[in-house]
Amino acid sequence: MSVEFKTVLTPPPHVKSALDVPQVMTHVFLALLPATFWGMAFFGYRLTLGPIVLSLLSCLGFEALDCFLFRKPLSLGDRSALVTGLLLGLSFPPGVPFWLPIVGGGTAIILGKQMFGGLGQNIFNPALVGRAVLFLSWPGLMSTYVVRNVWTLSKSGEVVSSLWEVVTTATPLGISKMQGYQALAHLEPRILWRLFWGTVPGCIGEISAFLLLCGFAYLLWRKIVRWDIPVFYFLGIALVAVLARQNPLYHLLAGSAILGGCFMATDYTTSPMTPKGRMIFGFFAGMITGMIRWLGGYQEGVTFGILIMNAVVPFLDRLLPRRFGVKKI
Amino acid sequence: MKLRTFPQGVFLSPAKELTAHRSIVEIGSPPKVVLPLWQHTGAPLEPLVKRGDVVKKGQKVADVEAFIAAPLHASISGKVTAIEEWWHPSMGKFRAIVIENDGQEEVERREPLPKDIENLDSLFLRKWIREGGMVGLGGAAFPTHVKVSPPAGKIIDTVILNGAECEPYLTCDHRVMVERPDTVLLGLRILVRACGAKRAYIGIEENKEECLTLFAKLVKYMSIPTEVVPLATKYPQGSEKQIILAILGREVPPGGLPLDVGVVVNNVQTASAIGRMAEEGMPLVERVITVSGECIQTPGNLEVPLGTVLEGIVAFCGGFVKTPQKIIMGGPMTGIAQSSLQVPVIKGTSGFLFFSRPYEKKEYPCIRCGRCVDGCPMFLLPYHLARLAEFQAFLEAEEHRVLDCMECGVCSYVCPAGIPLTQFIKLAKAEIIRRKKGGVTR
């Protein structure tokens, strides 16, 4: 028998799991879509489509530009810029000017990711870097919330567009920051249910706790993310809420707690590698979020809570797991 | 049924349906066998025959003084035509004894072992096992007599028979358990007696249900307390340290051996070979291998004389239906890719797989997903060790326990970025060991 063929010589293992990086990114993107569509439906596509699409295009465009300028192979194929773009787009209040998502996308991709060496090298979550920079640079634009008149919580809104009856309004967190949770509960007794289903003013993608949790359940089912970071993140928030004598459930449902805990704190690259590290990371990110809401000057603390803990990740990664064969002390 | 297992690891698609139902087929004496002088973990052998010698099947043809070594026996009767460099499945090329079949079928047997094994002397049994050329037939090929000889001060209380067969595709152990359970149990009794243990366990993954029910019935008649333990079908369940942890809850210390926790682990096929030698007086001259993969005409479980050249096995299986792009000796997780059909079957050959695709994956930068950390059965940080190896930071890699790695391949398997983590870690291990010994080692 003289069969002529050449074989491939590679080291074991000779089989590999089917999941690859673009698929991971696609799953996260898909998991965010229900909340995205709900935000578009609730606020109207005129106010929301622009920020989301521009944010996506800006992230993709700036990544391509960076690859071109620094003569690197085009890295859009890993699809991570899509996830960053969508997360950033969901963090805008509806109706922001068109240039804001463009600047935000550039900041997120260039400053947040590519300057560190690209995918997997960044210390801070790129979408949150974009959000933080915009928030600090244009606080007015980033915290002007509009909503259709029927859904407003406070009566003080100024009419932005009579055609859509859109008015500027305060978010639940804004009201409770200024007047306390009791005042908010007095204003709207069904506030927890409205937060759960997502019929409150807020950022485009953060409002529906229910749909965000559905997306997270999808990621758990596809084994893309683990449960530990969100659970410890929520524990941290709840603990501070209890200390502050406020309703913990309200603090979990309000603002971007679920969007941040389930989709931003769980970002692989900027969260710890070990179970122990992830618990500490999630818990303290939650604590800081709660502390900012309770004691800080801002009404929302998700962005900085997670960003601060991102900075601690290299340290947390030094926590080695227990050594096999050495008994627990 | 309560399944026992170890922490972490990974669930693989078993891919055993190609051959699991196929009975063991003897391929008979080939026209030529090639017996490399490196068959096992330990010292290489020295030939006891020279070119032109006529040897009988079962005759010892190579041995060495070293303790960690097992002799080699002719697997056919014939004439030694050469002692020369030949393709070796894991060493590239190595010196081998080539024997041409003379068709005489002459056999050199030993006395069968007396039936009352429990009254035999363990020192005698250890020597008898060594003389039979017995090594672990699971793949690592560690000499069996070394395993059952605890150094002074160490006591072995338990023997574990490893029937996990956690590598995908391979079914040779499965078939041995189904078709030769009595020989397996006889071998187990000899092993228990040789090391002075008090009890035995047989660990079998739950996907081999027929083996579990069969052995659960048979162990009732064992003269020593023996328990059949159903294990979860999870990789690497058949790894020594993992199967001990699953069955006994004991962890082998870093750098240690199973006997440090009073255990000896042996593959079911090793036990079967020992049992067979006790009955028939024939040392280890043949073994059961699995031939599988989508390229082979008739996949199956074959009993082949050691030294049979792969070409002959392929021909016996009806040749290829597709051109193989990858040929693997062993399982897909730890097996070694082959470049030639001239490689012979050695004692550690558990099978040959023929794949039409190389199964490679596009590589991306590490996204720090942590799947390697969650999968590592030795609780290591593969992403970190691989990076240290890449930067040649070997001292730091050693501090981070790189030598604890057993190269199971889980990290490379799960990595969504397709990074060859296991390969980087192997590199670091080899370099650290080389520096420690101050020379090139294998």
Side-chain angles (χ1 to χ4, degrees):
Chain A
M1 190 178 62
S2 58
V3 194
E4 282 298 316
F5 57 84
K6 281 193 174 144
T7 56
V8 179
L9 294 179
T10 48
H14 305 286
V15 284
K16 303 271 169 80
S17 61
L19 189 77
D20 65 9
V21 171
Q23 284 178 30
V24 168
M25 300 298 167
T26 309
H27 283 307
V28 178
F29 191 85
L30 290 177
L32 284 165
L33 285 184
T36 310
F37 288 132
W38 172 248
M40 286 187 182
F42 181 70
F43 296 112
Y45 73 92
R46 294 186 182 205
L47 298 177
T48 51
L49 194 63
I52 289 174
V53 171
L54 285 172
S55 164
L56 280 170
L57 290 178
S58 162
C59 283
L60 293 171
F62 275 104
E63 180 147 336
L65 182 71
D66 180 87
C67 292
F68 173 73
L69 286 180
F70 293 95
R71 294 184 174 77
K72 291 186 283 192
L74 191 66
S75 54
L76 294 181
D78 61 43
R79 299 185 198 160
S80 63
L82 273 180
V83 173
T84 303
L86 188 57
L87 278 174
L88 182 68
L90 296 181
S91 323
F92 287 112
V96 289
F98 74 94
W99 51 269
L100 206 62
I102 297 176
V103 175
T107 317
I109 292 294
I110 303 288
L111 191 64
K113 188 171 83 171
Q114 297 301 89
M115 284 302 115
F116 288 92
L119 180 67
Q121 306 296 315
N122 48 301
I123 293 176
F124 299 102
N125 182 313
L128 285 177
V129 169
R131 189 183 188 181
V133 168
L134 295 183
F135 186 73
L136 296 175
S137 311
W138 293 281
L141 290 175
M142 287 298 283
S143 43
T144 303
Y145 296 92
V146 297
V147 74
R148 285 178 191 170
N149 211 358
V150 287
W151 295 113
T152 183
L153 289 166
S154 55
K155 298 278 178 274
S156 58
E158 145 198 8
V159 177
V160 177
S161 151
S162 57
L163 181 66
W164 285 81
E165 286 190 46
V166 173
V167 295
T168 59
T169 185
T171 60
L173 277 177
I175 295 172
S176 63
K177 181 94 198 171
M178 307 310 280
Q179 305 163 33
Y181 176 69
Q182 292 312 324
L184 177 69
H186 183 71
L187 217 55
E188 171 55 284
R190 293 169 296 121
I191 185 65
L192 291 181
W193 279 113
R194 285 185 61 180
L195 284 167
F196 180 72
W197 295 112
T199 55
V200 287
C203 295
I204 299 167
E206 72 179 23
I207 47 173
S208 175
F210 170 69
L211 291 173
L212 286 167
L213 288 173
C214 286
F216 182 65
Y218 169 79
L219 290 184
L220 282 180
W221 170 58
R222 301 308 299 247
K223 295 200 163 65
I224 302 296
V225 293
R226 300 172 200 82
W227 57 269
D228 47 6
I229 290 177
V231 165
F232 281 89
Y233 182 75
F234 297 146
L235 272 178
I237 292 183
L239 181 74
V240 174
V242 169
L243 289 177
R245 294 168 188 280
Q246 293 176 6
N247 186 343
L249 194 57
Y250 162 70
H251 272 281
L252 295 182
L253 294 172
S256 327
I258 293 180
L259 179 66
C262 295
F263 293 94
M264 289 166 165
T266 51
D267 171 25
Y268 290 153
T269 302
T270 56
S271 62
M273 297 291 271
T274 61
K276 229 186 294 178
R278 285 197 293 268
M279 283 178 210
I280 297 172
F281 170 85
F283 184 72
F284 281 98
M287 289 262 287
I288 297 168
T289 301
M291 294 290 221
I292 293 174
R293 283 181 180 181
W294 176 24
L295 305 167
Y298 298 119
Q299 48 169 309
E300 176 58 300
V302 170
T303 308
F304 293 110
I306 298 173
L307 280 175
I308 289 169
M309 284 314 286
N310 282 164
V312 186
V313 167
F315 169 73
L316 291 177
D317 277 343
R318 302 189 72 111
L319 293 173
L320 294 183
R322 179 176 78 82
R323 189 172 193 178
F324 188 98
V326 177
K327 281 290 158 205
K328 294 150 253 190
I329 306 156
Chain B
M1 186 160 54
K2 178 90 176 68
L3 298 179
R4 276 188 250 176
T5 192
F6 62 97
Q8 314 209 128
V10 66
F11 295 98
L12 300 174
S13 150
K16 294 184 191 262
E17 63 285 347
L18 277 171
T19 53
H21 58 285
R22 291 180 188 260
S23 309
I24 300 169
V25 180
E26 290 178 33
I27 79 163
S29 292
K32 173 181 84 178
V33 292
V34 181
L35 299 166
L37 292 166
W38 200 313
Q39 293 273 348
H40 51 253
T41 308
L45 299 169
E46 291 299 329
L48 302 173
V49 291
K50 56 186 189 305
R51 193 161 166 261
D53 284 0
V54 175
V55 293
K56 294 175 184 168
K57 180 178 174 183
Q59 182 184 334
K60 187 152 86 168
V61 292
D63 203 350
V64 71
E65 280 290 304
F67 178 57
I68 304 182
L72 181 61
H73 304 82
S75 53
I76 55 173
S77 79
K79 195 164 151 191
V80 177
T81 54
I83 297 176
E84 61 180 8
E85 295 270 305
W86 194 275
W87 285 267
H88 188 282
S90 62
M91 311 281 296
K93 290 215 170 169
F94 206 80
R95 250 175 113 213
I97 301 171
V98 183
I99 302 170
E100 296 276 358
N101 200 335
D102 59 6
Q104 301 297 312
E105 302 287 339
E106 286 202 65
V107 178
E108 184 184 305
R109 287 184 197 277
R110 282 130 192 81
E111 283 289 296
L113 214 58
K115 294 275 177 236
D116 53 340
I117 287 147
E118 277 68 28
N119 295 324
L120 293 175
D121 176 46
S122 28
L123 289 177
F124 162 77
L125 279 176
R126 289 173 197 171
K127 215 168 152 257
W128 178 84
I129 288 171
R130 186 191 189 279
E131 281 309 301
M134 295 298 164
V135 303
L137 297 182
F142 193 78
T144 307
H145 70 276
V146 182
K147 281 191 182 182
V148 294
S149 308
K154 303 259 184 200
I155 293 166
I156 290 172
D157 55 26
T158 309
V159 171
I160 292 177
L161 263 202
N162 187 347
E165 199 163 48
C166 59
E167 277 268 13
Y169 290 93
L170 301 184
T171 55
C172 49
D173 292 354
H174 177 168
R175 292 315 304 180
V176 166
M177 284 190 277
V178 171
E179 295 176 36
R180 302 168 181 176
D182 296 321
T183 330
V184 170
L185 290 179
L186 176 60
L188 174 60
R189 279 169 62 202
I190 296 169
L191 285 164
V192 168
R193 181 66 197 153
C195 67
K198 298 281 171 287
R199 56 184 177 156
Y201 292 91
I202 306 174
I204 302 172
E205 281 190 355
E206 54 64 50
N207 62 352
K208 291 177 270 294
E209 223 183 308
E210 50 178 337
C211 305
L212 281 167
T213 37
L214 180 63
F215 275 93
K217 235 183 293 167
L218 290 175
V219 292
K220 289 179 196 149
Y221 308 106
M222 284 286 280
S223 48
I224 32 165
T226 307
E227 195 186 316
V228 177
V229 184
L231 302 166
T233 304
K234 188 167 80 168
Y235 183 84
Q237 184 65 74
S239 153
E240 225 168 40
K241 292 180 177 178
Q242 273 55 41
I243 203 169
I244 295 173
L245 180 56
I247 292 179
L248 297 171
R250 299 181 195 169
E251 285 184 14
V252 178
L257 291 170
L259 57 85
D260 291 321
V261 290
V263 186
V264 166
V265 182
N266 278 288
N267 183 269
V268 285
Q269 212 183 134
T270 316
S272 161
I274 290 172
R276 212 166 187 194
M277 179 160 103
E279 281 170 343
E280 299 172 11
M282 181 55 71
L284 182 64
V285 292
E286 48 199 9
R287 63 159 297 152
V288 181
I289 66 169
T290 300
V291 178
S292 190
E294 70 268 16
C295 293
I296 199 85
Q297 171 86 43
T298 325
N301 302 292
L302 309 179
E303 175 142 51
V304 292
L306 295 178
T308 306
V309 174
L310 180 54
E311 202 173 33
I313 296 171
V314 171
F316 185 86
C317 292
F320 297 125
V321 285
K322 283 187 213 162
T323 309
Q325 280 217 29
K326 202 164 206 180
I327 301 176
I328 301 160
M329 184 196 82
M333 291 300 282
T334 57
I336 298 159
Q338 302 297 322
S339 62
S340 165
L341 288 180
Q342 292 305 314
V343 292
V345 169
I346 59 172
K347 289 177 181 176
T349 304
S350 45
F352 285 104
L353 306 178
F354 302 91
F355 291 143
S356 60
R357 292 184 297 127
Y359 284 105
E360 287 311 312
K361 199 162 162 177
K362 188 168 181 228
E363 206 173 320
Y364 291 92
C366 170
I367 53 171
R368 294 173 40 84
C369 68
R371 283 181 172 78
C372 55
V373 178
D374 286 351
C376 179
M378 297 306 291
F379 312 153
L380 303 173
L381 303 176
Y383 78 102
H384 184 56
L385 296 175
R387 181 164 288 190
L388 291 175
E390 197 176 349
F391 296 155
Q392 307 199 2
F394 297 120
L395 284 178
E396 207 179 338
E398 197 183 345
E399 270 172 38
H400 286 89
R401 315 166 184 169
V402 73
L403 293 179
D404 286 8
C405 171
M406 53 151 162
E407 304 171 17
C408 64
V410 164
C411 48
S412 288
Y413 175 85
V414 295
C415 182
I419 301 169
L421 296 160
T422 318
Q423 193 183 1
F424 276 122
I425 292 171
K426 269 185 197 176
L427 175 89
K429 283 178 67 180
E431 181 60 21
I432 291 166
I433 292 167
R434 192 186 68 81
R435 287 182 186 183
K436 278 193 172 169
K437 296 199 174 167
V440 180
T441 51
R442 258 281 333 194

